[in-house]
Amino acid sequence: MAHLIFPLIAAALVCPALRAAETPWLSSIRETAEAAARGHGDVLLNFTGTDWCPACRHLDGTVLSDGAFLSWARERFILSEQIMPRKPDESSPAIAELYALMKKYRVDSFPTVLLLDESMRPYARLQGSARTPGEYIRRLEEGLAAKRKRDEALTRARRAEGPQRARLLDAALKALDPALRCHYPEIVREIEALDTRDELGYAGAAEHDRLLGEQTDAFRELCRARSGKTGPEETEETLRLTREMLERPGLLPEVRQRVLKYHADICGAREGLGLRQRIETLRKLYQEAFDAAPDTPFAARLKPWMEHYDRILSETP
């Protein structure tokens, strides 16, 4: 499972020297965007914590350093990497730029890989690592296939009008991960305008996406503010703040799910809990998080943990 960014920043950054020396991983997002525009190429953008994040280390050692993978990836992508250090210097312009980039692309876990077109618009998102380079390549190929479907639908939409154009624009968005819809606001607004009977279900979608961005940003800011505050009194304060957020009117189910997961992890880290009590607490709250929005990709990532906790409880007196 990919690791949540702010609660789990826990060790110093050490970039793997061998891979850095052998592969053309760009670190500047400006240079990356210029290279994409100049070469009309796609970008593989990796948000990572390298040495402090176990899943990042696994992805790096298992996939990104593999010769066959690099050979395949270099032919298809401009490779770019954004690295979050253990203790980011909030006053650093580079860290401010990184946070802004994470906000723009709504990145909230490490490792997250985005596939972007030449205009730096995402069409696929991969979280976590993989068992083999081949498995990860298959996931990237699925992303490339989604882009082809997106582009085919958009090309056809340019020649259409009215409801038919709306359906083709909808097909373009449906080719992508639903979480990426927020990066296509002009298409969402056009569908809303063209589909006057709301047969495609986009009424209010643009406003929903705007609220989702605002509420997600508020949650990330809470995580950043509470990062590293692990003392007993600090833990209780964090729990109080998460409860306040959960009580806010109009909190979207997707955001409620993330807050509940974070709240669960903080509860599970409380001092003085026995193993069974700790696992029971986590299992109960993970279930609440899952039920808040059971059809999201994040909910799917919760299920293996819930099953894991069930196994522990069945084996623990």
Side-chain angles (χ1 to χ4, degrees):
M1 176 179 286
H3 287 255
L4 288 180
I5 289 172
F6 301 112
L8 297 181
I9 291 177
L13 165 66
V14 179
C15 185
L18 179 60
R19 183 165 67 80
E22 294 181 347
T23 64
W25 289 87
L26 299 176
S27 59
S28 164
I29 198 64
R30 179 183 59 80
E31 292 178 2
T32 300
E34 289 175 353
R38 184 171 58 249
H40 302 288
D42 288 4
V43 172
L44 189 157
L45 179 58
N46 180 28
F47 289 86
T48 182
T50 45
D51 274 12
W52 63 262
C53 164
C56 300
R57 291 165 60 188
H58 187 272
L59 178 63
D60 188 80
T62 302
V63 176
L64 303 184
S65 298
D66 179 77
F69 171 82
L70 287 170
S71 220
W72 180 89
R74 284 171 175 170
E75 293 178 1
R76 293 162 176 82
F77 301 106
I78 296 160
L79 303 180
S80 184
E81 192 169 56
Q82 295 294 314
I83 303 173
M84 176 64 75
R86 174 194 178 192
K87 295 181 179 179
D89 179 2
E90 301 287 343
S91 65
S92 164
I95 292 299
E97 182 180 49
L98 177 52
Y99 278 135
L101 195 63
M102 289 163 54
K103 178 179 178 180
K104 174 182 177 180
Y105 288 122
R106 300 191 180 182
V107 172
D108 58 7
S109 66
F110 283 155
T112 290
V113 166
L114 295 175
L115 301 186
L116 313 169
D117 59 27
E118 62 186 69
S119 65
M120 299 297 284
R121 178 172 284 191
Y123 58 84
R125 181 176 65 174
L126 288 73
Q127 294 177 300
S129 186
R131 290 174 295 180
T132 65
E135 180 182 299
Y136 205 75
I137 285 174
R138 286 191 292 274
R139 293 173 65 188
L140 293 171
E141 287 175 334
E142 289 172 0
L144 290 168
K147 182 197 175 189
R148 287 193 292 271
K149 291 180 181 178
R150 180 201 70 174
D151 291 349
E152 288 168 4
L154 290 176
T155 298
R156 294 172 61 198
R158 294 190 191 102
R159 301 191 293 266
E161 296 179 354
Q164 176 62 13
R165 180 177 172 85
R167 284 191 288 272
L168 289 167
L169 292 174
D170 172 56
L173 294 183
K174 291 286 175 59
L176 308 177
D177 180 337
L180 298 177
R181 188 182 72 181
C182 61
H183 299 289
Y184 298 78
E186 76 287 356
I187 294 179
V188 172
R189 287 193 294 267
E190 186 172 1
I191 294 172
E192 283 189 88
L194 292 170
D195 184 22
T196 55
R197 296 182 179 180
D198 193 31
E199 295 177 355
L200 299 172
Y202 279 79
E207 177 63 12
H208 173 276
D209 290 346
R210 184 189 68 79
L211 283 174
L212 180 61
E214 287 183 357
Q215 293 180 5
T216 302
D217 289 344
F219 170 57
R220 288 185 185 134
E221 186 55 39
L222 170 65
C223 293
R224 281 178 60 183
R226 305 307 298 171
S227 178
K229 300 184 185 300
T230 58
E233 292 183 2
E234 293 172 326
T235 296
E236 293 307 314
E237 176 64 9
T238 302
L239 292 174
R240 184 187 68 79
L241 291 170
T242 55
R243 282 192 292 266
E244 283 185 358
M245 183 167 284
L246 290 168
E247 292 169 0
R248 293 180 186 177
L251 191 67
L252 295 174
E254 307 97 307
V255 183
R256 179 175 297 279
Q257 185 170 74
R258 297 294 184 111
V259 180
L260 281 167
K261 163 65 166 59
Y262 180 51
H263 184 81
D265 291 340
I266 299 300
C267 282
R270 273 172 154 171
E271 295 181 2
L273 296 179
L275 175 61
R276 186 170 187 88
Q277 185 182 6
R278 191 180 307 278
I279 298 302
E280 286 176 342
T281 298
L282 286 166
R283 179 62 177 84
K284 176 179 178 293
L285 291 173
Y286 271 39
Q287 185 68 56
E288 289 183 25
F290 179 87
D291 292 343
D295 297 326
T296 64
F298 192 79
R301 290 163 55 194
L302 289 173
K303 289 190 74 173
W305 281 103
M306 293 160 62
E307 293 167 358
H308 173 65
Y309 293 146
D310 285 338
R311 285 194 296 270
I312 294 176
L313 289 172
S314 70
E315 299 168 358
T316 304

